[in-house]
Amino acid sequence: MARGLRVLNRLAGGTLLDRLGIRHQSERAIYHASRTGFGVAAAAARSFKRNGPSGQAQRLPKAGNPGLFDLTPSEDQAMLQDAAQRFATDALRPAAEAANEACAASSELLDMANELGIAILGIPEELGGAGTERNTVTNVLVAEALAHGDMGLAWACLAPSAVSQAVVQWGNAEQQARYLPAFTEESSPVAALTLAEPTPLFDPMTPATTAQRVDGGWSISGIKSLVPNAKQCELFVVGAQVEGEGPALFVVESSPEHMRVADDPAMGLRAAATGRVQFDQVIVPDSARLGASAEQAHANYRECVRLSRLAWCAMAIGTGKAVQDYVIPYVNERQAFGEPISHRQSVAFMVANIAIELEGMRLTTLRAASLAEQGKDYAREAAVARRLCVDKGMQIGSDGVQLLGGHGFTKEYPVERWYRDLRAIGVMEGGLLV
């Protein structure tokens, strides 16, 4: 309790909540933070150790069936969405261009994101978090709001929670007791969910990274690409192929002796400091696999791919909305031939199409997320949402550049960066989870 009170005093006396205008809305999150008793630990000295009795694994219960499909956020969801939107507007958007050029987010910005309490939302209260039920829809709304500021920075902020959510949803009691307490501390670990590989036409269901059985555990070898914050990562959830069983997820702690990390900057998402990680016969214990049996591990992997794709759909919606909000005032103010260019039907129709496609993207994504958090089958709905967000997201990015004409091709305006980020939706696998 003493540690929790110290955190409460630090947040209440700081300026972050006032800068974001969310002091009143954050009272509940601060209360939960004080209850968890955040510990202070330097990342370099962090050691993942089992904390407390293992018992049974804690799972967030399925969300209740509301009876009607209603897109209106609940009071709690609206509060969190508003806090994320303010953070995106006041912190992420101003820092986006510098982070894009530096190919990294500042540590101060990541600390601010951690102070918002995003990481603890998906961790059950019994394990020190603030979660009471599966919150897939809430996670989609938060990811959308953050991506409205900048997709690359949003990914950098959300990447660690993908690992904690994977352990919550599919980890056993021992894994939860070992790893989750670190995510409720004041200084949570840098972590990444890694599925993507540097392979043309990469299929996440057939990864080239392998996990071979050895005495007492597994030997993991392979290369993962587009890993967020790769050089600082302390913990990974890695997708690997088990011979004769199919792909599975493994919790892997950083091992400098058996891992090589290199920069892997891409066309977009540059602010996430993406890197390439080579696993060279990294030995993990038998308990590192997320899933008690081969069948369960394979099922967990499939669901991970679907939930990750829904997360990227949410990011596409947020960035697409940023494009829409930017081009509307631009076309109304830009003069050509003595009148605003929005008076031209070709321009007006293009802007209208952006709004129409965004509504379709949001509807399909929230429908899939709603089914997922109720524990219902959502495979078809997730596939439809991904297909729509990939195609229309890239089109929105292209239209944003087109509407600005020559200005859209320059770095003076943010639409070229949003265009590059939106291209990533069709190739990204893993990295996020909702």
Side-chain angles (χ1 to χ4, degrees):
M1 178 60 71
R3 287 181 293 174
L5 290 175
R6 284 199 295 271
V7 173
L8 178 60
N9 290 333
R10 180 171 64 84
L11 285 175
T15 61
L16 173 64
L17 300 182
D18 293 321
R19 291 204 308 271
L20 299 181
I22 57 171
R23 178 172 295 276
H24 176 71
Q25 298 96 320
S26 301
E27 289 178 352
R28 183 178 301 181
I30 295 175
Y31 168 71
H32 280 294
S34 67
R35 289 183 62 193
T36 61
F38 289 149
V40 179
R46 192 188 311 276
S47 177
F48 296 102
K49 296 180 180 179
R50 187 171 63 83
N51 187 357
S54 55
Q56 291 186 344
Q58 300 293 327
R59 305 280 188 239
L60 290 173
K62 301 174 184 177
N65 189 341
L68 296 174
F69 178 53
D70 186 3
L71 294 179
T72 305
S74 66
E75 182 180 350
D76 289 343
Q77 288 173 336
M79 178 187 70
L80 293 169
Q81 188 180 30
D82 182 62
Q85 184 65 62
R86 289 178 180 268
F87 178 68
T89 301
D90 298 340
L92 299 189
R93 183 68 66 85
E97 184 57 36
N100 175 75
E101 294 298 323
C103 288
S106 68
S107 58
E108 293 79 9
L109 192 64
L110 296 179
D111 289 341
M112 290 172 64
N114 190 49
E115 288 180 16
L116 284 178
I118 295 174
I120 67 173
L121 293 178
I123 300 177
E125 290 182 336
E126 295 83 356
L127 298 172
T132 57
E133 64 179 16
R134 289 192 64 175
N135 51 3
T136 310
V137 172
T138 302
N139 292 335
V140 165
L141 295 174
V142 170
E144 176 187 342
L146 292 179
H148 189 268
D150 182 71
M151 188 186 292
L153 287 176
W155 185 18
C157 295
L158 293 173
S161 65
V163 172
S164 62
Q165 288 192 57
V167 176
V168 168
Q169 293 193 47
W170 307 305
N172 57 33
E174 179 182 349
Q175 292 164 337
Q176 291 182 346
R178 182 179 181 87
Y179 297 112
L180 291 181
F183 289 92
T184 63
E185 295 177 356
E186 180 181 0
S187 177
S188 61
V190 181
L193 167 64
T194 63
L195 300 184
E197 297 178 352
T199 304
L201 301 177
F202 171 67
D203 179 0
M205 299 309 298
T206 57
T209 300
T210 60
Q212 296 182 340
R213 292 186 181 274
V214 295
D215 291 340
W218 305 86
S219 174
I220 297 179
S221 297
I223 301 176
K224 293 297 182 180
S225 62
L226 297 175
V227 180
N229 303 313
K231 289 189 173 181
Q232 287 77 41
C233 270
E234 306 165 59
L235 188 67
F236 302 88
V237 170
V238 181
Q241 186 79 18
V242 179
E243 185 176 0
E245 297 181 2
L249 299 171
F250 296 84
V251 182
V252 181
E253 298 178 25
S254 180
S255 173
E257 299 83 7
H258 300 281
M259 294 183 188
R260 290 193 289 276
V261 182
D263 291 331
D264 191 23
M267 174 182 174
L269 303 173
R270 297 173 68 84
T274 53
R276 185 172 297 190
V277 181
Q278 180 172 347
F279 299 89
D280 185 14
Q281 297 182 352
V282 179
I283 304 300
V284 297
D286 187 62
S287 60
R289 186 174 67 177
L290 295 179
S293 64
E295 293 77 12
Q296 187 60 53
H298 187 53
N300 293 343
Y301 186 92
R302 287 198 308 270
E303 186 171 15
C304 176
V305 171
R306 291 172 187 151
L307 292 176
S308 174
R309 289 176 172 179
L310 285 182
W312 285 107
C313 288
M315 300 280 269
I317 297 167
T319 303
K321 185 65 164 57
V323 174
Q324 180 191 30
D325 291 344
Y326 194 88
V327 300
I328 289 176
Y330 182 90
V331 298
N332 284 330
E333 297 169 5
R334 179 72 171 174
Q335 296 280 329
F337 305 105
E339 63 179 358
I341 62 173
S342 60
H343 289 185
R344 305 290 174 174
Q345 281 190 339
S346 59
V347 172
F349 288 168
M350 190 176 292
V351 175
N353 283 335
I354 291 176
I356 292 169
E357 301 301 353
L358 276 175
E359 288 303 308
M361 292 161 61
R362 182 178 290 108
L363 175 64
T364 55
T365 300
L366 288 177
R367 182 185 182 192
S370 178
L371 292 172
E373 73 175 16
Q374 295 177 54
K376 298 179 179 179
D377 181 37
Y378 63 100
R380 176 186 178 277
E381 288 74 13
V384 169
R386 174 178 168 82
R387 179 67 182 184
L388 188 63
C389 290
V390 168
D391 291 348
K392 303 308 179 181
M394 288 193 293
Q395 186 62 51
I396 289 171
S398 179
D399 288 347
V401 172
Q402 186 70 25
L403 285 166
L404 267 68
H407 289 162
F409 194 68
T410 68
K411 289 185 177 295
E412 182 180 356
Y413 297 84
V415 290
E416 64 86 23
R417 185 177 70 251
W418 295 333
Y419 167 78
R420 291 187 283 108
D421 289 345
L422 284 166
R423 300 284 299 185
I425 305 302
V427 298
M428 281 304 308
E429 299 286 359
L432 289 171
L433 212 60
V434 292

